[in-house]
Amino acid sequence: VQLQASGGGLVQPGGSLRLSCAASGDIVSVKDMGWYRQVPGKQRELVATITSRYITNYADQSKGRFTISREHAKNTVSLQMNSLQPEDTAVYFCFAEIERRGKGWSTFVRDYWGQGTLVTVSS
């Protein structure tokens, strides 16, 4: 199982970017998905999450500017980021809670992370 993120880049303050992340591999189902971000020297922080029933949760700094969405059938999650500011500069990581087949008829759930995509907001 792997998560592949894309869409990062350089944008001017006030601009927009859209991040995407796709889960692939031996997947039974994908539960929660979402995005975190990290600045060097700081802890990884929540950006937004979305459940398998499309219930969303946003960090305070994301509310009103970012929108998380997912396509259940394609195991993808996206993050539309508007009104970007320099303080949004970070490496953005997608994650997914993925159910996989275990031994016999059993299954198990664990978290998977994408490789990170850099978002730079600068003039």
Side-chain angles (χ1 to χ4, degrees):
V1 172
Q2 64 175 359
L3 268 62
Q4 183 68 44
S6 60
L10 173 64
V11 64
Q12 292 187 340
S16 298
L17 277 178
R18 184 176 181 84
L19 307 182
S20 296
C21 178
S24 62
D26 182 21
I27 295 171
V28 173
S29 68
V30 181
K31 302 184 182 300
D32 291 1
M33 303 185 82
W35 294 89
Y36 279 70
R37 68 186 186 186
Q38 188 168 23
V39 175
K42 293 189 177 181
Q43 284 191 328
R44 193 171 294 187
E45 64 177 11
L46 171 72
V47 177
T49 61
I50 184 167
T51 71
S52 58
R53 297 186 178 184
Y54 301 93
I55 298 170
T56 59
N57 178 54
Y58 293 93
D60 287 344
Q61 75 272 11
S62 306
K63 291 177 181 177
R65 300 188 300 130
F66 296 177
T67 301
I68 190 169
S69 60
R70 66 186 288 174
E71 289 192 55
H72 208 75
K74 295 182 179 180
N75 293 331
T76 61
V77 62
S78 296
L79 185 70
Q80 177 66 41
M81 302 186 294
N82 299 327
S83 302
L84 284 163
Q85 299 301 318
E87 52 266 33
D88 294 315
T89 295
V91 177
Y92 285 70
F93 297 89
C94 62
F95 83 93
E97 291 181 339
I98 296 178
E99 182 181 18
R100 298 185 58 188
R101 293 180 183 84
K103 294 182 179 180
W105 292 100
S106 69
T107 63
F108 64 94
V109 177
R110 59 157 286 190
D111 291 348
Y112 289 85
W113 291 86
Q115 81 281 14
T117 183
L118 177 62
V119 172
T120 303
V121 185
S122 175
S123 55

